[in-house]
Amino acid sequence: VSLLGDGVTEVIYSSVRFPFPLCDRDYVFYRRLVRRQGGGFMVARSARKGLVAEVEGVVRVDNFESHFAVVPRGDGKGLDYFLEYFEEPKGALPAWAVNFGMDALVTGMVKGLKHGA
């Protein structure tokens, strides 16, 4: 959900539901998409605290940063994308939970880029 945007930088609120016994997590972050001839990149980082009210029972991830680039392949048959991602999840999470969250995040970002193209 885009809360506000000026066409260049948006503020995004996103939530991820986890199965019991893990706590759901949410994110408030700035996102900037830059299009370049033949590709583009996206930069996202945590927004300042207090921009969006916290939800009771949901862990707010407030230390987050991501870089995402899309580059067409030289043969003209598709594209390559690169992702660098960091977050402090506030607590010990098992590997399966991290993988679940990352899969949902990357899938959502790729769908968003496809929709915006």
Side-chain angles (χ1 to χ4, degrees):
V1 176
S2 177
L3 299 175
L4 53 98
D6 61 9
V8 177
T9 300
E10 296 178 293
V11 176
I12 306 293
Y13 173 83
S14 179
S15 63
V16 179
R17 293 181 179 251
F18 285 98
F20 181 81
L22 301 173
C23 293
D24 295 343
R25 285 172 162 60
D26 67 2
Y27 304 77
V28 179
F29 58 95
Y30 300 109
R31 179 177 70 183
R32 177 175 285 210
L33 178 62
V34 178
R35 296 173 195 239
R36 298 277 190 243
Q37 184 175 5
F41 63 92
M42 182 187 71
V43 177
R45 66 177 171 81
S46 307
R48 67 182 182 276
K49 289 185 178 185
L51 192 61
V52 174
E54 293 192 28
V55 178
E56 186 176 339
V58 176
V59 175
R60 172 69 45 92
V61 177
D62 54 13
N63 188 2
F64 159 79
E65 189 165 336
S66 176
H67 306 97
F68 183 85
V70 178
V71 180
R73 292 185 175 166
D75 61 7
K77 297 180 180 178
L79 55 90
D80 292 316
Y81 64 91
F82 304 91
L83 174 65
E84 181 179 60
Y85 182 88
F86 166 81
E87 81 172 54
E88 171 53 55
K90 293 186 176 178
L93 293 175
W96 68 266
V98 172
N99 292 337
F100 173 82
M102 287 302 298
D103 184 47
L105 174 74
V106 172
T107 300
M109 287 198 310
V110 171
K111 285 181 182 178
L113 286 171
K114 182 178 178 181
H115 178 69

